[in-house]
Amino acid sequence: MAEGEGSGTEDRKPKSDEARSAFSVPDGVGVEPEAAEEDQPTSEFAVPDGLASTAAEPEGSAFATPHTYSAAHSPPAYTGPPGFPVTRMKESPWQDRMRTVLRMPVDVRPVPEPSQRLAAETGPAVGRVLDLTLRIGELLLSGGEGAEDVEAAMFAVARSYGLDRCEPTVTFTLLSITHQPSLVDDPVSANRTVRRRGTDYTRLSAVFRLVNDITAHEVEISLEDAYRRLAEIRRNRHPYPGWVLTAAAGLLAGAASTLVGGGVLVFFAAALGAVLGDRLAWLCAGRGLPEFYQFVVAAMPPAAMGVALKMTDLDVRSSAVITGGLFALLPGRALVAAVQDGLTGYYITASARLLEVMYLFIGIIMGVLVVLFVGVQFGSNPQPEDVLQIEQRPLLQIAASMVLVFTFAILLQQERSTVWFVTLNGGVAWVIYGALHYAAKMPPVPSTAIAAGLVGLFGQLLARHRFSSALPFVTAAIGPLLPGSATYYGLLLIAEDRLNEGLGSLTNAAAIALAIAIGVNLGSETSRLFMRIPGAASAAKRGAAKRTRGF
């Protein structure tokens, strides 16, 4: 017996140490067949014993498998728990991704996957991240960017550094952001006031590139690196010196005068008047006068040049001199931004910007009216009907429109690489407007809206291609469409005490200006039909129009 037992023990002894598994069943312990077949722990998503199979559940049951969870039939914009697994930087810019998340309710927003590495033991530096976010938003807002894109940029920077429970808020002069670590922790808030605004689209493009790099997973930028790049952007000098800007203002006015029928003498007169007005405005700015008075002073020299030519015996279109000067002063950039904010639901910012546009427009009217009134007293005898008699010179007008856009882009301090794109965009816009208004005899308001819509469409597509702001590709391109002739015609009528007709012409000018702004915004929104936007399926029930109406 002992020998038999010894022999059985030898048979059960492992052949080597590798045969001893930590998960092998000890001797003497029985093994149930069911347990032996399962070598994985029970999943928390497994159906409990006693419940019917999910396949037998009717549609709408809590235990039925949702159709959207099927790997074969899942929508391309499905957002998973870790963030945006289907999104790549080359597929969709951060503006579209963050705009989609901002339009979602807070409780259904996806948990972000931080783009930048964070210290595992300390986590994100909340105060510094919020400060960096506000500084980036300040540069964008002061550069003329729309409120929605500013909020999207702030939201993108905060999420990239690990602050997912953030709510940015943008108004005309105030930026604020609130971070709540959890439902039981106290929120942390910070704000920043925008006191100065400047037009420098080179700086705006640099800020967009910084946000692109911060939100990219393949680029690692620490907080120190982001602060250093932001400081370099703020210290960066303008790409064009002052004398180039003054010369660009003169060329812009001269090209605009040619666009409305002026000749060589009118070109130089309009250019000289715009240069004098620009220098006077710079002098007033250096003395600390508000921008309203700067526009009043800047509008006077072109008007004076036009009145002086009218008092001579020369056979020239003196009205084109004043109209060219108005093209250089009309606040088209602020108007487009104001209407864009209103259409996207930022009514406070839109109202403030529209009020700013109204003040600047009134300043231009006052400066021109003072000069026209003095000219009438000295026997200038302007003829308002001459303003509307514009000779059609297609090739010359197309060339003048492109020169106008080129110089306008320089005044906006655009990068040299974008000037040619916006010049071509503006030339195409004027060709479309001329074909609709002059050839097809379409009224000016719808013709302007269609041409501006194409400007917005092409500008938005170019901006998405270069991963930058759309403003450098849009703002200067609408220059030839601005209502300079209608504005001057209304001012002449008011100067001749034909108040009702003058107000009607100014109302027509305002309608054209609004058509430009709405057309640009509509073209920008239409461009999204050609782009794949992540999260569009999940946010379809929460569009921009609905979220502002309480749905």
Side-chain angles (χ1 to χ4, degrees):
M1 178 65 70
E3 184 179 353
E5 290 179 0
S7 177
T9 305
E10 294 234 24
D11 294 337
R12 293 193 299 269
K13 184 179 297 183
K15 300 296 186 296
S16 65
D17 292 339
E18 295 178 359
R20 299 179 186 273
S21 172
F23 300 99
S24 61
V25 181
D27 296 337
V29 179
V31 179
E32 297 182 3
E34 302 82 54
E37 295 176 359
E38 294 183 358
D39 57 354
Q40 298 293 336
T42 303
S43 171
E44 59 180 323
F45 300 105
V47 180
D49 296 334
L51 291 180
S53 174
T54 57
E57 291 296 332
E59 181 68 24
S61 170
F63 300 99
T65 304
H67 293 294
T68 54
Y69 288 359
S70 172
H73 303 91
S74 60
Y78 167 68
T79 302
F84 294 94
V86 299
T87 303
R88 296 294 182 267
M89 198 61 190
K90 293 300 181 183
E91 295 178 2
S92 179
W94 59 264
Q95 301 100 302
D96 297 324
R97 303 201 308 268
M98 293 303 107
R99 187 183 292 111
T100 301
V101 177
L102 280 173
R103 292 179 179 181
M104 293 181 181
V106 179
D107 55 340
V108 299
R109 287 178 181 172
V111 178
E113 182 179 349
S115 303
Q116 304 302 326
R117 296 180 181 178
L118 305 172
E121 63 277 2
T122 60
V126 177
R128 298 194 66 195
V129 172
L130 295 183
D131 179 69
L132 175 67
T133 300
L134 289 173
R135 290 178 183 273
I136 290 177
E138 178 190 12
L139 283 180
L140 292 176
L141 187 63
S142 62
E145 192 61 64
E148 187 175 31
D149 283 338
V150 176
E151 279 195 3
M154 295 171 64
F155 195 65
V157 173
R159 286 171 68 92
S160 298
Y161 285 108
L163 304 184
D164 57 316
R165 302 177 63 89
C166 284
E167 284 297 330
T169 304
V170 176
T171 59
F172 186 56
T173 57
L174 182 65
L175 298 167
S176 64
I177 186 169
T178 301
H179 169 64
Q180 188 171 11
S182 66
L183 295 177
V184 297
D185 293 329
D186 295 331
V188 180
S189 298
N191 57 69
R192 195 172 184 88
T193 302
V194 179
R195 302 189 183 278
R196 294 188 60 187
R197 295 179 186 83
T199 303
D200 189 342
Y201 283 174
T202 299
R203 180 179 297 175
L204 190 68
S205 299
V207 176
F208 263 73
R209 284 193 291 269
L210 175 59
V211 178
N212 282 334
D213 292 341
I214 290 176
T215 56
H217 288 272
E218 61 271 15
V219 181
E220 183 178 353
I221 298 181
S222 64
L223 280 173
E224 289 74 16
D225 295 336
Y227 267 107
R228 182 173 61 254
R229 287 183 56 177
L230 193 63
E232 292 175 356
I233 292 172
R234 296 180 69 95
R235 290 195 304 264
N236 211 9
R237 298 180 62 86
H238 297 308
Y240 307 104
W243 67 269
V244 173
L245 298 180
T246 302
L251 287 176
L252 191 156
S257 66
T258 304
L259 195 66
V260 295
V264 177
L265 181 59
V266 170
F267 178 92
F268 285 104
L272 179 59
V275 168
L276 292 177
D278 181 76
R279 289 294 89 192
L280 287 176
W282 275 98
L283 179 63
C284 293
R287 299 293 181 179
L289 289 179
E291 196 172 14
F292 173 82
Y293 300 104
Q294 298 175 28
F295 272 77
V296 173
V297 172
M300 288 183 173
M305 295 295 295
V307 170
L309 283 179
K310 186 65 178 178
M311 297 177 66
T312 63
D313 296 331
L314 298 176
D315 186 17
V316 295
R317 292 180 58 89
S318 59
S319 60
V321 177
I322 305 178
T323 304
L326 290 178
F327 270 90
L329 295 175
L330 292 177
R333 174 182 59 88
L335 179 65
V336 171
V339 174
Q340 179 182 359
D341 287 341
L343 294 177
T344 52
Y346 295 84
Y347 297 121
I348 296 177
T349 307
S351 301
R353 281 180 164 168
L354 283 176
L355 188 62
E356 179 189 33
V357 170
M358 185 187 72
Y359 272 109
L360 298 181
F361 194 69
I362 291 176
I364 297 171
I365 291 175
M366 288 183 59
V368 175
L369 275 181
V370 168
V371 177
L372 290 180
F373 180 77
V374 174
V376 170
Q377 303 304 315
F378 282 92
S380 174
N381 190 21
Q383 297 178 359
E385 287 72 17
D386 293 341
V387 180
L388 304 180
Q389 298 175 1
I390 300 177
E391 181 182 357
Q392 298 182 25
R393 300 172 294 178
L395 296 180
L396 184 59
Q397 286 177 320
I398 292 174
S401 67
M402 297 184 72
V403 172
L404 190 155
V405 175
F406 179 82
T407 52
F408 199 179
I410 293 177
L411 286 176
L412 294 174
Q413 302 280 1
Q414 290 190 201
E415 293 178 306
R416 292 177 174 85
S417 60
T418 64
V419 170
W420 306 108
F421 289 106
V422 71
T423 300
L424 181 62
N425 196 12
V428 172
W430 177 257
V431 169
I432 298 300
Y433 172 78
L436 293 175
H437 181 58
Y438 295 114
K441 304 301 180 182
M442 185 179 291
V445 174
S447 302
T448 303
I450 294 173
L454 291 177
V455 167
L457 174 61
F458 295 149
Q460 194 67 237
L461 293 177
L462 285 171
R464 290 301 184 264
H465 175 70
R466 296 173 62 93
F467 296 96
S468 64
S469 172
L471 290 180
F473 300 99
V474 169
T475 305
I478 65 173
L481 305 177
L482 292 174
S485 298
T487 302
Y488 178 55
Y489 181 64
L491 296 179
L492 279 180
L493 293 174
I494 293 176
E496 290 190 342
D497 202 17
R498 297 160 63 180
L499 186 60
N500 292 334
E501 298 178 39
L503 292 179
S505 180
L506 291 180
T507 302
N508 184 39
I512 293 175
L514 289 178
I516 293 174
I518 294 175
V520 167
N521 183 266
L522 183 60
S524 299
E525 295 298 328
T526 304
S527 67
R528 305 184 196 282
L529 299 176
F530 304 96
M531 298 180 294
R532 179 183 176 185
I533 300 177
S538 59
K541 298 180 180 179
R542 198 71 179 175
K546 291 183 178 179
R547 69 180 174 88
T548 59
R549 287 167 173 80
F551 290 95

Coordinates of all heavy atoms in Angstrom, one line a residue, residues 24 47 143 269 410 456:
S24 N -3.5 27.7 -9.9 CA -3.9 26.3 -9.9 C -4.7 26.0 -8.6 O -4.5 26.5 -7.6 CB -2.7 25.4 -10.0 OG -1.8 25.6 -8.9
V47 N -25.2 40.6 -18.0 CA -26.6 40.5 -17.6 C -26.7 39.6 -16.3 O -26.2 38.5 -16.3 CB -27.4 39.9 -18.7 CG1 -28.9 39.8 -18.3 CG2 -27.3 40.8 -20.0
G143 N -8.7 91.9 -30.9 CA -8.4 91.9 -32.3 C -9.6 91.9 -33.2 O -9.5 91.9 -34.5
A269 N -6.5 113.3 -56.0 CA -7.1 114.2 -55.0 C -7.7 113.4 -53.9 O -7.5 113.7 -52.7 CB -8.2 115.0 -55.7
I410 N -3.5 95.6 -46.0 CA -2.3 96.2 -45.4 C -2.7 97.0 -44.2 O -2.1 97.0 -43.1 CB -1.5 97.0 -46.4 CG1 -1.0 96.1 -47.5 CG2 -0.4 97.8 -45.7 CD1 -0.2 96.8 -48.5
G456 N -17.8 85.3 -47.6 CA -17.8 84.5 -46.4 C -17.5 83.0 -46.6 O -16.8 82.4 -45.9

